[in-house]
Amino acid sequence: MESGPSGAQSILFIHGGNVAGWMWRGQAEALPGFHSLIPDLPGFGVSADEPWPTLVEVADALADLVRAQGEGGRAHVVGLSLGGVLGVVLAARHPDVVRSVFVTGAAVRGIHGLTRAIGLAQLPMWGSRSYWVGLARAFRLPADSVDEFVTTGLGIDRESARRMMREVYDGVPAHVLDGLRGLGAPLLAIAGEREPRVVRAALHDIVGRAPQGTAAIAPRMHHVWSAEDPELFHRVLRHWLTRAEASPELSRA
């Protein structure tokens, strides 16, 4: 998906692991002065027939997309959850294509213990419509997004999802994250105040390596706060894109 005026600064929106690029449609429409690139990742949405390779390979492909279609071969990188992890990996490996980085819910330390076991145990239920309806309620998705969320979920390639989840749950290797030390662009890493501790703790792993890194907390927000409070998310994102600084609506981590 591509939208916005040619010649304007580009934004690469990277979606989460239960959805597809459509999750960013409203945010892109609210930023008409920017050129938006919104791909569906392998195994998801219109790319459901493409098998998931690895985080590094997907990040490399996203960087190639920016070089080919981004204004001046560069883009602001925006990602949530899986998209946040990919945004970090992309910035670490391809700093030349990055104007700025805005990631939230990027669990680069991985997911372990009971949370990991529960997440993997849910994969057999991904073929059930009731599972996705229940997940939509848990994510506090607005009513007009539920049908698309359910349809997308039912269409996800489960083998790709299994490989993706195991890799994300294992965490991003330190040598990959170390690439952030060469990032010359500003980076903002956010966690919702009500996210699991492992997500909040991962902020240090990101901003501790990025020379222009800032960590922040979205007060009262859960993991998918782009859906929980889209107006807040938009204000915070617009502030970042126009000023390259954390919004005063966020708390310092």
Side-chain angles (χ1 to χ4, degrees):
M1 189 187 311
E2 186 173 1
S3 65
S6 61
Q9 289 187 3
S10 298
I11 306 172
L12 173 68
F13 288 99
I14 314 176
H15 68 76
N18 297 102
V19 286
W22 59 262
M23 70 165 282
W24 294 118
R25 189 181 301 137
Q27 295 295 333
E29 290 173 352
L31 293 164
F34 288 87
H35 167 242
S36 296
L37 297 170
I38 314 177
D40 284 351
L41 300 174
F44 300 85
V46 300
S47 302
D49 291 338
E50 300 177 24
W52 177 268
T54 65
L55 282 170
V56 163
E57 288 174 295
V58 175
D60 290 351
L62 291 171
D64 288 342
L65 173 65
V66 172
R67 291 189 181 98
Q69 296 180 232
E71 189 277 325
R74 299 171 69 210
H76 300 281
V77 177
V78 177
L80 181 147
S81 191
L82 167 64
V85 174
L86 280 166
V88 170
V89 175
L90 185 159
R93 290 178 58 81
H94 304 278
D96 58 297
V97 306
V98 176
R99 288 188 182 275
S100 74
V101 182
F102 177 104
V103 293
T104 182
V108 297
R109 287 190 177 187
I111 304 294
H112 308 285
L114 182 60
T115 303
R116 177 190 181 105
I118 291 173
L120 293 174
Q122 290 179 24
L123 278 168
M125 296 185 283
W126 281 29
S128 164
R129 181 179 181 84
S130 61
Y131 169 82
W132 292 104
V133 171
L135 199 60
R137 294 196 188 102
F139 285 164
R140 297 173 172 81
L141 296 185
D144 59 0
S145 297
V146 171
D147 285 346
E148 196 159 23
F149 177 75
V150 172
T151 300
T152 301
L154 291 172
I156 293 172
D157 176 65
R158 273 181 277 175
E159 184 53 40
S160 285
R162 183 176 289 105
R163 289 198 300 275
M164 177 274 291
M165 288 178 68
R166 289 187 181 279
E167 190 176 12
V168 171
Y169 284 5
D170 285 345
V172 179
H175 73 270
V176 175
L177 292 176
D178 284 343
L180 291 173
R181 302 189 192 282
L183 179 66
L187 177 151
L188 176 62
I190 304 171
E193 182 180 16
R194 295 173 179 170
E195 289 206 68
R197 182 179 301 175
V198 67
V199 178
R200 301 194 305 273
L203 294 174
H204 174 75
D205 296 338
I206 300 169
V207 302
R209 289 174 166 88
Q212 299 182 57
T214 302
I217 299 294
R220 303 178 302 282
M221 292 295 104
H222 297 80
H223 188 58
V224 191
W225 61 286
S226 60
E228 185 177 7
D229 193 338
E231 291 300 323
L232 172 63
F233 192 96
H234 175 69
R235 292 194 303 271
V236 169
L237 176 58
R238 175 177 285 279
H239 190 97
W240 173 255
L241 293 171
T242 57
R243 303 191 186 189
E245 65 181 25
S247 166
E249 295 189 77
L250 299 175
S251 302
R252 294 189 65 85

